[in-house]
Structure formats: C-alpha cells, structure tokens
Amino acid sequence: MRMSECKTKGIHELLSKALEAEHHNTELALDLSYQALAKAKECDFLPEIGMAHMRIGRCYWTNGDFEQALEHLDDAIEITTKVNDYVTKAEALNARGNVYVTM
C-alpha cells in the first residue's frame, strides 16, 4: 500500500464496527478485525496492530478457541507495551484473564 493510502481512520472504523459486531456476531467481528489487522500491517501502524490483535483474541475467547485467543492476546500485550497503549493493554490483559477463568 502506498504511504498516501495509509490512514488510521479506516482501520479505526473497522475496529469500531468489530466491537459492535462482537456482541451479536463474532464471525463478522473476526472478519472486520482481520481486515483491520491486514491494513495496519501494510501501513506498519503498531498501535492499530495491537488493537486488532486484542479484538481478534476477544472473539476467539468468545468462540471458545482459547489457544488462538491467547496467541492474539499475547501479541496485543507485547505490542501495546512497546507503544505505551495502556488502555488496549488493559483490555487484552482482562480478556486474557477471562480466557483462563473460562478454561
């Protein structure tokens, strides 16, 4: 993707829609989150990559795929630590704890 096409707004819109969808359609939420992750990676936007991993991890937790959930949540925690995104990190840590409680 050309740098002129790299904008966080579109990524944040996808993540916002994923958050809304997470409450009623986790498959849609996963699809939107993976789209956001792909765009964030193309543009090398680390905070948004961390957010997408957190959202994906939460969806996998809801769907009962704990291994995938932990993998994405651990990625989110690692990235959000690097970029000092404490809000997303807290959400990822909370979701990680929920995975372990559910297991």
Side-chain angles (χ1 to χ4, degrees):
M1 183 174 281
R2 293 183 305 216
M3 286 309 290
S4 62
E5 295 174 2
C6 285
K7 296 189 170 94
T8 59
K9 183 179 179 188
I11 298 166
H12 285 271
E13 287 173 1
L14 286 168
L15 291 170
S16 179
K17 289 178 183 177
L19 173 61
E20 291 175 26
E22 185 179 321
H23 301 289
H24 58 85
N25 185 341
T26 53
E27 291 305 318
L28 175 59
L30 270 173
D31 180 55
L32 292 166
S33 298
Y34 272 114
Q35 288 178 46
L37 179 61
K39 287 184 179 197
K41 283 184 174 182
E42 286 176 5
C43 297
D44 200 30
F45 291 153
L46 281 179
E48 287 74 14
I49 293 170
M51 289 178 202
H53 277 296
M54 182 273 297
R55 186 68 44 222
I56 292 166
R58 286 186 50 84
C59 289
Y60 280 126
W61 160 56
T62 300
N63 289 347
D65 189 341
F66 304 132
E67 186 175 324
Q68 285 279 27
L70 291 173
E71 181 179 317
H72 284 280
L73 293 169
D74 287 344
D75 287 346
I77 292 164
E78 180 181 334
I79 292 166
T80 56
T81 299
K82 286 180 187 175
V83 299
N84 299 321
D85 179 357
Y86 301 114
V87 172
T88 304
K89 182 178 179 178
E91 289 184 67
L93 287 166
N94 186 21
R96 190 169 182 240
N98 288 335
V99 170
Y100 284 117
V101 167
T102 305
M103 289 172 46

